[in-house]
Amino acid sequence: MDQKLVAVIDYGMGNLRSVAKAAEHVAPNNTRIIVTHDPKVIESADAIIFPGQGAAKACMNALQETGMIHPIQHAVQEKPFLGICMGLQVLMSHSDENSGTPCLDIISGNVKHFELEKAFPELKVPHMGWNQIHQTQEHALWHNIPQDSRFYFVHSYYVQPKKETFIAATTTHGTSFPSALSHKNLFAIQAHPEKSAEHGLQLFQNFLQWNG
Amino acid sequence: MSLAKRIIPCLDVDNGRVVKGVQFVNIRDAGNPVEVAKRYDEQGADEITFLDITATAHDRNTTVHMVEEVASQVFIPLTVGGGIRTVEDIRTMLNAGADKVAINSAAIFNPGFVQEACDAFGSQCIVVAIDAKKVSPEGEANQWEIFTHGGRKETGIDAIEWAKKMESLGAGEILLTSMDRDGTKSGFDLELTRAISDSTQIPVIASGGVGELDHLCEGILEGHAEAVLAASIFHFGQHTVQEAKQAMQAKGIEVRL
């Protein structure tokens, strides 16, 4: 069987180890998971995982400093690409975080802060913990994941894509927000599959078998 | 359909081993943190918190390896607290596979550290641990203060003001322990929990005093906590996490089952 190489993009932030470990846990024998910031490895990889944590500006700065912007823009056009949490948000055009941060603009749309204080004073921000993911379209990455399964979330901002057809799932925290987007070979999720027990591992397994 | 309230078993670790005794049926080595964490994961724990009581730098290294080992086999959020004093301490724990760190006394000695930590790693992984004790006399308006050294040393800092300050510095969550209730099995200090939870927008984890399942429900329903932390009721096989969730669900609390 051919070797398959999956690159987890390292830009000096976030819990890459957890993401790589979770993917390794379910990876078939012929699949190698590599954490890398080498553009050549990203170029040669068969699939890309783009994790993210922290604030939008710090994330964009780190991508810039490590020279990851171009390799990401390139990879997202042509091979299976999984964005996680901040790795979803920075794909958008613009984030309201840090008084406004221009992002990668791979998906048209913005990243907004949860404004819940008035309408839902009992709800907390960050949205932290296990919430349900309501699948709004069929997708290979939802294989064997029951409708409305709970995933682990930690975030204070959420994405608003211009095209609703990109929305692959929604979640409700006061307001209903898009919790996963998909477009061709790109799939990105707001929750942390690496911390979402069996359903999260299933999502990684699905991704590793997906041809985009 | 909304966010589930969380149950978090808490384990004390020393030199990379779980201490204070954890007894599961059919587990030969109860001190093995991986085994213990796996068991809680299987029972449906929403997160696991490790409190590192290690004194020496060498032992702390062992703790780091323990976190690595747990994180490569248990895929739910892990928090590590105890002895987190520098940005480097945080980086080490996160790189080992922790998702959050709990900062306690270092925040009191240098509140700027909380901001520094949040700027470096994001609010989502910075938990501020608050140990509070009631200082107002019976019959007067409630007042709680922050204590250090396991509740022995008072700081004169008002607990509610402190919680608000930690939120403003960027803390993503508060782990609130009542030093009056800790170890008593008489239930959370619900007034304290509610006071802190209602005056901040970030999630509050209630801790200290759980002796029965009802206490967990009270923490959510009356204390307005987002999550409840307990140790001994789970460690000694008195209850499983699953039983705790069923009890909470029976009271109308949304849980992940």
Side-chain angles (χ1 to χ4, degrees):
Chain A
M1 231 195 298
D2 283 347
Q3 276 284 320
K4 184 171 179 176
L5 180 68
V6 178
V8 178
I9 297 183
D10 177 9
Y11 51 101
M13 284 184 82
N15 197 347
L16 302 170
R17 190 188 154 81
S18 293
V19 170
K21 284 286 158 198
E24 273 166 18
H25 197 74
V26 295
N29 282 338
N30 69 332
T31 302
R32 247 178 89 210
I33 314 287
I34 270 197
V35 177
T36 183
H37 52 80
D38 182 346
K40 284 194 206 104
V41 177
I42 293 169
E43 181 76 26
S44 67
D46 300 293
I48 303 290
I49 299 176
F50 180 37
Q53 260 185 12
K57 185 159 276 169
C59 179
M60 285 303 296
N61 286 344
L63 288 171
Q64 190 90 47
E65 280 163 23
T66 51
M68 283 298 109
I69 289 183
H70 185 69
I72 287 172
Q73 282 170 334
H74 197 66
V76 84
Q77 303 296 337
E78 57 175 25
K79 48 190 144 201
F81 188 102
L82 175 63
I84 297 171
C85 191
M86 186 51 69
L88 157 66
Q89 295 188 5
V90 296
L91 298 177
M92 309 304 291
S93 317
H94 183 270
S95 171
D96 286 351
E97 196 171 8
N98 309 118
S99 327
T101 304
C103 295
L104 296 171
D105 198 22
I106 288 165
I107 298 172
S108 285
N110 293 325
V111 185
K112 312 292 270 183
H113 191 256
F114 279 111
E115 301 294 348
L116 303 174
E117 271 168 274
K118 287 199 182 112
F120 304 95
E122 75 284 7
L123 291 184
K124 298 289 188 170
V125 178
H127 172 229
M128 185 187 288
W130 298 77
N131 206 339
Q132 287 169 300
I133 287 198
H134 186 75
Q135 301 160 20
T136 53
Q137 55 175 241
E138 281 189 24
H139 197 285
L141 267 70
W142 295 140
H143 177 68
N144 273 348
I145 297 175
Q147 180 63 295
D148 297 325
S149 293
R150 287 188 187 274
F151 278 69
Y152 186 78
F153 288 83
V154 191
H155 62 125
S156 302
Y157 292 77
Y158 61 94
V159 298
Q160 279 188 324
K162 276 199 180 131
K163 285 196 182 148
E164 287 201 357
T165 51
F166 286 11
I167 300 173
T170 58
T171 294
T172 303
H173 186 55
T175 179
S176 168
F177 67 91
S179 48
L181 303 183
S182 87
H183 179 56
K184 296 180 186 166
N185 55 308
L186 163 70
F187 188 93
I189 184 164
Q190 180 61 64
H192 288 273
E194 75 279 14
K195 289 289 153 186
S196 297
E198 75 266 41
H199 300 314
L201 293 173
Q202 180 69 50
L203 191 126
F204 278 116
Q205 197 177 332
N206 295 342
F207 177 71
L208 296 175
Q209 285 166 0
W210 186 43
N211 294 319
Chain B
M1 280 210 352
S2 61
L3 192 60
K5 304 299 180 189
R6 289 170 278 153
I7 296 186
I8 308 175
C10 178
L11 302 164
D12 284 358
V13 296
D14 184 14
N15 196 12
R17 306 285 292 171
V18 176
V19 293
K20 246 193 187 177
V22 177
Q23 298 169 354
F24 289 130
V25 186
N26 298 331
I27 288 194
R28 253 177 260 133
D29 181 3
N32 181 333
V34 179
E35 292 302 318
V36 175
K38 270 187 174 170
R39 182 54 62 100
Y40 283 135
D41 178 25
E42 283 163 17
Q43 291 182 5
D46 296 307
E47 298 183 29
I48 297 173
T49 290
F50 292 98
L51 201 56
D52 186 8
I53 58 171
T54 294
T56 70
H58 175 265
D59 287 356
R60 199 162 295 281
N61 243 345
T62 316
T63 304
V64 172
H65 292 305
M66 176 209 82
V67 174
E68 280 176 2
E69 214 188 323
V70 173
S72 60
Q73 295 182 58
V74 177
F75 301 101
I76 57 174
L78 306 174
T79 302
V80 181
I84 303 289
R85 293 186 188 90
T86 64
V87 163
E88 209 40 53
D89 291 339
I90 299 176
R91 194 185 311 277
T92 304
M93 285 304 173
L94 296 182
N95 283 343
D99 298 282
K100 311 181 208 179
V101 294
I103 301 175
N104 193 339
S105 30
I108 296 164
F109 301 132
N110 174 20
F113 175 49
V114 173
Q115 186 162 19
E116 193 189 352
C118 294
D119 286 347
F121 306 104
S123 297
Q124 83 289 337
C125 60
I126 305 300
V127 182
V128 171
I130 297 180
D131 293 343
K133 243 184 183 176
K134 194 168 177 177
V135 292
S136 50
E138 210 49 52
E140 284 183 27
N142 280 324
Q143 202 185 345
W144 298 270
E145 279 182 12
I146 307 296
F147 279 68
T148 61
H149 298 82
R152 294 190 304 276
K153 257 195 184 166
E154 60 175 311
T155 62
I157 302 169
D158 180 79
I160 297 174
E161 290 311 312
W162 182 248
K164 288 186 190 167
K165 182 172 181 181
M166 292 300 104
E167 177 178 31
S168 71
L169 291 176
E173 197 170 28
I174 289 168
L175 168 54
L176 176 66
T177 303
S178 161
M179 299 313 284
D180 297 312
R181 298 301 181 92
D182 203 26
T184 65
K185 295 184 182 288
S186 59
F188 296 121
D189 182 338
L190 295 172
E191 290 178 321
L192 166 69
T193 309
R194 188 165 56 238
I196 301 282
S197 190
D198 289 355
S199 39
T200 51
Q201 219 205 343
I202 54 178
V204 172
I205 305 166
S207 156
V210 175
E212 51 189 84
L213 296 183
D214 254 357
H215 293 153
L216 298 172
C217 303
E218 290 167 4
I220 304 286
L221 297 172
E222 293 172 46
H224 299 174
E226 272 298 302
V228 284
L229 181 141
S232 51
I233 63 159
F234 299 131
H235 294 346
F236 300 108
Q238 186 185 343
H239 292 288
T240 63
V241 178
Q242 194 67 19
E243 283 167 10
K245 288 194 165 178
Q246 281 157 356
M248 283 164 73
Q249 195 182 41
K251 291 263 168 87
I253 299 168
E254 191 145 354
V255 291
R256 160 183 167 256
L257 277 173

